[in-house]
Amino acid sequence: MRLVRNISMVVSFVSCLVFSTSARAAAEKQGRQSDEALKRPVTVADAIAMTQFDDPSYNVGRLAGHRVAQFSPDGKQFLILVKKGDVQNNTNKYSLLLFKAEEALRSPRAEVLVSFSSNSNRPGIQQSRWIDNRTVAFLAENPGEVQQLYIVDCRTKRVTKLTNHATSVVSFAMSADRSRVYFLASQRLVPLFDEQTARAGFVVSNQTLVDLIAGERRFASDRYCDLFVRKRGAPGEVRIKTQDEIVSDSISLSPNGRYLLLKAGVGQIPEIWGNYEDAWLRLITRGTSSFQNHPLIFRYDVFDTETEQLYALMNAPINRGHAGFAWSPDSRSIVMSEIYLPLTGCEERDRALRQSQKFVAEIKIPSRVIVPITSKKLRLLRWDSRTNAVLFEPLESLSGEVSSRKLIAFRRLATGWQSVPATESETGPDENLDVLLEEDMNTPPRFFAENVRSGQKTLILDLNPQFKDLRFGHVDDITFEATDGHTVKAGLYWPVDYVRGNKYPLVIQTHAWNAHKFLIDGPWPSAFAAQPLAGRGIFVLQFEEDLSKISTPAEAPEEMAAYEGGIDYLNRHGLIDTANVGIIGFSRTGFGVKYALTHSKYHFKAATIADGSDEGYFGYMSILTSIPIHLPDMEGVNGGAPFGDNLLSWLKNSPGFNLDKVGAAVREEAYGPLSLFFEWEWFAGLSRLHKPMELIYMPDAPHLLTKPSERMISQQGNVDWFCFWLKDEENSDPSKREQYVRWRRMRDESKGN
């Protein structure tokens, strides 16, 4: 009996233990669910207010990975630049954060070195660089100002303004002793018309329609700059006149201060450049030789500061990709990566290689003798003055899962350039410390310091601790088959309150999916609003577009097939309501979306095209004589120039000639006057057909929206737009009353047609 009682007691104890454990687990799960329920979904305002790492390469979609910090020359300090939007004040705040390297792995502390806010399309702070171990130079502006050059003392925090130019300073280079500063500044707007033209008229040649209507030389002024020098002790800056148009891009001064590297516009493309096998170069050189205006073709120029002579570095165009450069410590040469080499002055065998490949090469100064080093795809980091080695990292690491820490070194020996092992002293300013940015599609970016040898890692900066109070839609990296059979990759954002078995609306966002980045709105802020849409109970599918058939008649049909395949994939899994599908096109994918709206058999209920490529007849004619660089592209997708028999191809393929087939409510966003021309054909045509259409014009907006107010117009406008058309929901904000009156009228009129 005692044994039975003992067994019974044990069973009872175990039962209580199991019950207690189960109850505790259930209580913990319920607690987590309760905590989650207290959180609110992400909004567009949250996306704008998100603190982000600011870097030109990172901003356009590339991974940050390693080497994201700017170390001082002695390696004892490093800088990180961050930014965040302020919706209430319509500004973007930029902060340059200073860290002590010795504290990074033990007790990291971010010190705000300097902060500026901007209410223009320019950054509040940019192009920060160490001048010495104590001084940092940078460009900056506050609201209502134009951008100027500053320096800050890292010990005293004293900020000194070095320029007071009438227009914005866009790039600078400073001599080692700080006695001279060269800078590029935005050009003043030049009137096209004067008293003479009022009497005799104005002869139109290659001016853009935008410039002719405005009466000012705006198109070139937005792309080119004037060059100035400011010398110590001199009363002010002096303009350096150049024959070539200087592009508003970074400039670089050789260590000895004699040579200045610039990027210049090419007035007329040399015919031989059409022999490069690069598809883009062939496209833009084909059929444009008779035109004199090529605002997107550049080359490198060198300005000799002693003789004040400007000359082309070499007879080759600049690669649009990952080109980089580094001066030799003695200033007698410059090494460049991912560049085209000239097709003249070389043997036939070398010419064939130069036509098909890009190179790392040394260009000697001032002789301009070119010494090829390698054709490997490498990202140039620096020329190490201590070991006289040039350091690179594999270019593939910029788009892979993890940026490679392995360095590749080349050293110039008596027999020529040779690949050599990178020494420990060459791995960085502090060979034991690396700073990296970690993120993925479901994890917001955070900065870590890592001991390279031991692997010890320490969190040094959580950019957005407020995210713990927000509910994010889960994101999956998916692959599916398009309706034409090709494979498509995309990111799937799940509705925040997803309930198994329910079917939800879908919004397709086109462009640049990257599973290794945290994309709260999309790859860029223009138009996209992935998490805010997921927070409103909508599936979002972020596509990775295929550019292999760009500028050919197959481009748009292939993109359309990808959109259709995504709809089929989600429908097969019982996730979406195919009667409520929306789509957003931005930039290049605006063309693919317009094609799908006019040629697909699938139903799209609502669409947005933001600052999108048009490839239409009206846009073609509006730039025919002023921006001929786009003509081969527009002719390529439509089967030739729209004259004679080729016009039949345009009638069949061009979306603008097929507007009667559009069944979606269409919202267009035009950023700036030139964009307005490309969106006008659809606005006018759909309005004439009494189809639901609205055009939102932001006259000062850049291609990648910057100002919080413009981001709210675009991104929040799209959240409202798709909730209205796909879910029949309206925002209760009284300020939006007119918006819904307008949309309800569109909906009623469309039902009557």
Side-chain angles (χ1 to χ4, degrees):
M1 291 293 294
R2 183 181 299 172
L3 178 61
V4 172
R5 281 199 304 271
N6 289 342
I7 293 174
S8 178
M9 291 173 61
V10 170
V11 171
S12 177
F13 173 77
V14 171
S15 298
C16 289
L17 180 63
V18 170
F19 176 79
S20 175
T21 303
S22 300
R24 185 165 62 250
E28 290 175 353
K29 181 178 180 181
Q30 185 176 2
R32 289 194 300 270
Q33 292 175 341
S34 178
D35 291 341
E36 191 68 17
L38 293 174
K39 299 179 181 180
R40 62 172 177 79
V42 178
T43 66
V44 170
D46 293 321
I48 294 172
M50 174 183 176
T51 301
Q52 297 175 286
F53 172 52
D54 189 70
D55 174 81
S57 177
Y58 183 76
N59 291 344
V60 295
R62 297 173 192 150
L63 295 175
H66 301 271
R67 303 181 182 93
V68 294
Q70 291 179 277
F71 279 87
S72 57
D74 61 8
K76 294 182 179 180
Q77 304 174 91
F78 60 87
L79 300 169
I80 295 175
L81 180 61
V82 297
K83 65 179 179 182
K84 65 177 299 183
D86 182 340
V87 175
Q88 183 175 356
N89 295 306
N90 193 29
T91 59
N92 289 299
K93 183 178 181 180
Y94 289 72
S95 297
L96 199 54
L97 305 181
L98 178 67
F99 294 82
K100 305 294 184 185
E102 63 180 4
E103 299 174 354
L105 294 170
R106 301 194 311 270
S107 54
R109 182 173 61 91
E111 181 180 356
V112 178
L113 181 61
V114 65
S115 289
F116 281 77
S117 293
S118 169
N119 63 353
S120 73
N121 293 322
R122 297 178 296 271
I125 298 175
Q126 66 172 324
Q127 297 184 35
S128 57
R129 64 192 71 163
W130 291 93
I131 302 303
D132 52 42
N133 290 316
R134 181 171 172 171
T135 311
V136 176
F138 57 95
L139 300 178
E141 65 177 75
N142 277 313
E145 300 176 350
V146 293
Q147 194 164 250
Q148 301 295 331
L149 174 62
Y150 294 82
I151 58 172
V152 59
D153 187 306
C154 293
R155 296 181 190 173
T156 66
K157 308 297 188 297
R158 181 187 177 190
V159 177
T160 304
K161 188 177 182 181
L162 297 185
T163 60
N164 190 27
H165 198 71
T167 63
S168 285
V169 176
V170 301
S171 186
F172 72 96
M174 191 178 299
S175 62
D177 61 2
R178 295 195 233 170
S179 63
R180 287 172 295 151
V181 175
Y182 294 89
F183 65 89
L184 297 179
S186 299
Q187 294 182 346
R188 293 176 181 269
L189 289 177
V190 178
L192 286 177
F193 313 130
D194 53 23
E195 293 182 4
Q196 174 63 25
T197 57
R199 292 192 297 268
F202 182 84
V203 179
V204 176
S205 56
N206 60 4
Q207 297 81 15
T208 67
L209 275 176
V210 171
D211 288 1
L212 291 170
I213 293 171
E216 295 176 320
R217 187 176 178 266
R218 291 184 177 182
F219 188 78
S221 295
D222 289 342
R223 288 154 178 79
Y224 300 120
C225 288
D226 295 325
L227 177 64
F228 295 85
V229 60
R230 176 184 175 275
K231 297 181 180 180
R232 181 185 295 162
E237 70 260 7
V238 176
R239 183 184 173 190
I240 300 172
K241 294 184 179 180
T242 60
Q243 183 176 357
D244 294 336
E245 294 267 31
I246 305 303
V247 180
S248 55
D249 206 328
S250 60
I251 60 177
S252 179
L253 192 64
S254 61
N256 66 2
R258 177 164 181 179
Y259 304 107
L260 187 67
L261 185 69
L262 305 158
K263 184 183 287 188
V266 177
Q268 185 168 6
I269 300 174
E271 186 176 348
I272 196 171
W273 288 10
N275 293 328
Y276 289 103
E277 293 181 10
D278 180 276
W280 185 78
L281 268 177
R282 287 196 166 189
L283 179 70
I284 61 179
T285 55
R286 188 176 70 240
T288 63
S289 58
S290 61
F291 295 96
Q292 299 295 315
N293 191 21
H294 302 278
L296 298 180
I297 305 296
F298 313 121
R299 72 175 183 218
Y300 285 115
D301 278 6
V302 173
F303 177 72
D304 189 322
T305 64
E306 289 188 8
T307 65
E308 297 191 347
Q309 296 297 309
L310 182 73
Y311 53 85
L313 182 64
M314 54 185 172
N315 183 23
I318 292 178
N319 169 34
R320 294 193 306 161
H322 305 281
F325 59 84
W327 289 98
S328 64
D330 62 8
S331 301
R332 294 181 179 178
S333 61
I334 186 169
V335 165
M336 293 186 157
S337 64
E338 282 291 286
I339 59 169
Y340 297 109
L341 296 183
L343 300 179
T344 57
C346 58
E347 296 182 1
E348 190 66 31
R349 182 184 62 179
D350 293 335
R351 184 180 298 110
L353 291 174
R354 293 183 180 192
Q355 288 175 332
S356 60
Q357 299 179 16
K358 292 182 283 289
F359 290 81
V360 175
E362 175 193 19
I363 301 96
K364 296 182 179 181
I365 306 293
S367 66
R368 290 178 281 176
V369 171
I370 299 171
V371 182
I373 298 175
T374 179
S375 59
K376 292 181 179 179
K377 292 183 176 294
L378 302 174
R379 179 194 180 195
L380 196 155
L381 298 177
R382 63 185 177 278
W383 195 319
D384 194 296
S385 60
R386 296 167 298 177
T387 61
N388 204 31
V390 184
L391 303 177
F392 306 85
E393 65 180 355
L395 190 58
E396 289 81 1
S397 67
L398 296 179
S399 57
E401 288 190 23
V402 179
S403 292
S404 172
R405 190 182 284 107
K406 180 181 178 181
L407 296 186
I408 298 172
F410 281 85
R411 187 173 287 115
R412 184 173 54 194
L413 305 177
T415 56
W417 286 90
Q418 291 186 13
S419 178
V420 296
T423 65
E424 288 187 358
S425 64
E426 293 169 341
T427 58
D430 182 343
E431 61 268 21
N432 294 322
L433 183 66
D434 193 9
V435 178
L436 54 148
L437 183 67
E438 291 191 351
E439 62 180 316
D440 61 40
M441 56 188 170
N442 287 296
T443 306
R446 298 182 298 169
F447 284 98
F448 290 85
E450 183 180 27
N451 186 305
V452 175
R453 294 181 178 179
S454 68
Q456 175 194 350
K457 188 185 297 183
T458 302
L459 175 67
I460 63 172
L461 183 62
D462 182 355
L463 291 170
N464 294 282
Q466 77 278 9
F467 280 179
K468 68 180 185 301
D469 299 321
L470 301 179
R471 298 176 66 193
F472 289 85
H474 180 76
V475 187
D476 285 327
D477 183 33
I478 65 173
T479 302
F480 54 87
E481 190 175 273
T483 53
D484 65 357
H486 80 274
T487 300
V488 183
K489 293 182 178 180
L492 179 64
Y493 292 72
W494 291 69
V496 165
D497 292 318
Y498 173 74
V499 176
R500 185 180 179 86
N502 289 354
K503 293 187 176 183
Y504 293 81
L506 167 68
V507 170
I508 294 172
Q509 294 191 165
T510 53
H511 249 323
W513 165 246
N514 189 331
H516 310 300
K517 293 197 70 173
F518 182 77
L519 305 177
I520 190 171
D521 36 29
W524 304 292
S526 299
F528 299 138
Q531 285 291 354
L533 285 167
R536 298 292 296 272
I538 296 174
F539 270 106
V540 177
L541 197 57
Q542 181 76 58
F543 275 72
E544 176 187 81
E545 77 273 31
D546 181 1
L547 299 178
S548 62
K549 295 182 174 62
I550 192 169
S551 302
T552 71
E555 176 189 349
E558 184 176 79
E559 287 296 288
M560 179 180 72
Y563 309 152
E564 295 170 342
I567 295 171
D568 287 345
Y569 174 85
L570 297 179
N571 188 40
R572 282 197 305 271
H573 287 78
L575 299 177
I576 63 168
D577 176 5
T578 56
N580 289 298
V581 175
I583 189 167
I584 301 174
F586 164 64
S587 191
R588 183 66 189 190
T589 58
F591 170 52
V593 169
K594 287 182 175 181
Y595 187 90
L597 295 179
T598 53
H599 290 76
S600 177
K601 296 180 180 178
Y602 287 55
H603 175 66
F604 295 92
K605 196 170 186 180
T608 291
I609 294 97
D611 209 26
S613 294
D614 180 76
E615 314 303 305
Y617 183 81
F618 185 82
Y620 176 90
M621 297 302 290
S622 69
I623 65 169
L624 181 59
T625 60
S626 58
I627 319 176
I629 194 172
H630 291 304
L631 301 185
D633 172 41
M634 300 178 80
E635 293 171 2
V637 298
N638 288 302
F643 309 108
D645 293 340
N646 287 338
L647 183 58
L648 296 176
S649 177
W650 279 68
L651 293 174
K652 176 183 177 182
N653 295 317
S654 177
F657 285 121
N658 292 273
L659 295 178
D660 58 303
K661 301 180 180 68
V662 175
V666 178
R667 171 186 168 96
E668 285 190 302
E669 298 176 8
Y671 304 163
L674 187 61
S675 175
L676 192 61
F677 280 100
F678 286 96
E679 307 302 341
W680 191 260
E681 183 174 18
W682 269 57
F683 170 69
L686 291 178
S687 297
R688 175 64 181 85
L689 294 170
H690 305 290
K691 293 178 180 286
M693 141 65 64
E694 76 170 7
L695 173 60
I696 305 298
Y697 180 42
M698 289 177 267
D700 298 318
H703 191 51
L704 297 182
L705 295 180
T706 301
K707 297 176 185 176
S709 62
E710 292 172 344
R711 291 186 60 182
M712 287 296 291
I713 292 169
S714 173
Q715 294 174 286
Q716 186 60 52
N718 282 328
V719 172
D720 293 347
W721 178 258
F722 288 108
C723 284
F724 177 83
W725 291 101
L726 305 185
K727 300 187 68 181
D728 199 23
E729 292 180 357
E730 297 185 11
N731 193 310
S732 60
D733 185 347
S735 67
K736 299 184 178 184
R737 184 176 303 161
E738 181 183 346
Q739 165 180 285
Y740 289 110
V741 170
R742 187 171 68 251
W743 293 353
R744 286 194 295 269
R745 184 170 61 249
M746 289 182 193
R747 184 176 57 192
D748 293 342
E749 290 177 355
S750 67
K751 289 179 180 178
N753 289 336

